Amino acid sequence: QPALQGHSSAVSVDSPPSQDPMMLSDIAAHLDTDSPPDSLPGGLAAEVKGLSDVLKVTGDADDRIAFLYSYRGLSRAIPELGQEADDQTKSELTATALKVLQPVIDELQELHNFSRRAVSVLCAKVADMLVRKGKGESWGDECLWRVARLMDKLLIVNGLMAANSGINNDFSRYKRFQ
């Protein structure tokens, strides 16, 4: 396992090179609180943490994309009851529908939370890149590649969410049953 150690900060890589050629997928970084961020130990730890966050969100995006590709709305399968249905039937249908929809709604809520988290990580990384540009520093190819991959994944997630009408139907049906 390759390891890079500095004054009071350390970075260790836990993944073999065959799985991640840049060896950044499982990075444990100790942020050096004694050194300022513009020093080498503090700057290195902050840069590695930033790339590690981008890599984690990119990996999570793959899971969300797989979920969205296979997602089929459930609200169509729940029967509509007309005005003539009695209160007992309506309450039983509501309870059953909530029981069926709850795990799906939880997963969709997690998808929403992921989207917000991913955008905040992307914004933080772009802000860091702009600060570095202001200082006259450049970005590495790996940093640009990782940010571009994250943006691509987020566009795919956004497109799949917009194209799947079952998501909005399930949310609205769930709210009506509550």
Side-chain angles (χ1 to χ4, degrees):
Q1 291 182 347
L4 174 65
Q5 297 179 357
H7 169 63
S8 63
S9 63
V11 177
S12 64
V13 179
D14 298 328
S15 66
S18 62
Q19 293 175 351
D20 187 12
M22 294 308 292
M23 296 181 285
L24 291 172
S25 65
D26 294 321
I27 294 178
H30 167 70
L31 292 180
D32 186 3
T33 56
D34 297 332
S35 299
D38 55 350
S39 70
L40 181 60
L44 178 62
E47 177 69 20
V48 168
K49 184 185 180 323
L51 276 177
S52 177
D53 290 345
V54 169
L55 287 170
K56 181 173 178 0
V57 169
T58 303
D60 290 346
D62 289 331
D63 296 338
R64 303 299 176 216
I65 289 170
F67 169 75
L68 286 168
Y69 269 126
S70 63
Y71 184 79
R72 299 294 175 259
L74 294 177
S75 62
R76 285 181 156 182
I78 300 170
E80 291 281 344
L81 294 179
Q83 299 268 339
E84 66 278 354
D86 63 352
D87 289 339
Q88 169 93 16
T89 306
K90 285 182 182 180
S91 65
E92 287 176 7
L93 177 67
T94 300
T96 304
L98 286 173
K99 188 172 153 185
V100 169
L101 285 174
Q102 189 62 52
V104 174
I105 295 301
D106 291 344
E107 186 68 30
L108 292 176
Q109 189 64 43
E110 179 55 37
L111 176 66
H112 176 71
N113 293 340
F114 160 76
S115 296
R116 294 181 70 157
R117 189 172 59 249
V119 168
S120 69
V121 166
L122 180 63
C123 288
K125 191 61 184 169
V126 169
D128 178 57
M129 292 170 72
L130 291 174
V131 166
R132 292 179 75 189
K133 181 179 183 200
K135 293 179 181 178
E137 299 174 9
S138 63
W139 315 291
D141 291 340
E142 184 64 23
C143 177
L144 292 173
W145 175 246
R146 298 289 181 171
V147 169
R149 282 187 61 206
L150 177 58
M151 290 174 72
D152 182 52
K153 301 277 184 189
L154 292 179
L155 284 172
I156 292 170
V157 167
N158 190 39
L160 289 171
M161 285 174 61
N164 196 336
S165 62
I167 292 172
N168 289 334
N169 294 342
D170 286 352
F171 264 126
S172 63
R173 194 78 186 263
Y174 179 76
K175 286 179 185 178
R176 270 187 265 146
F177 282 127
Q178 281 188 324

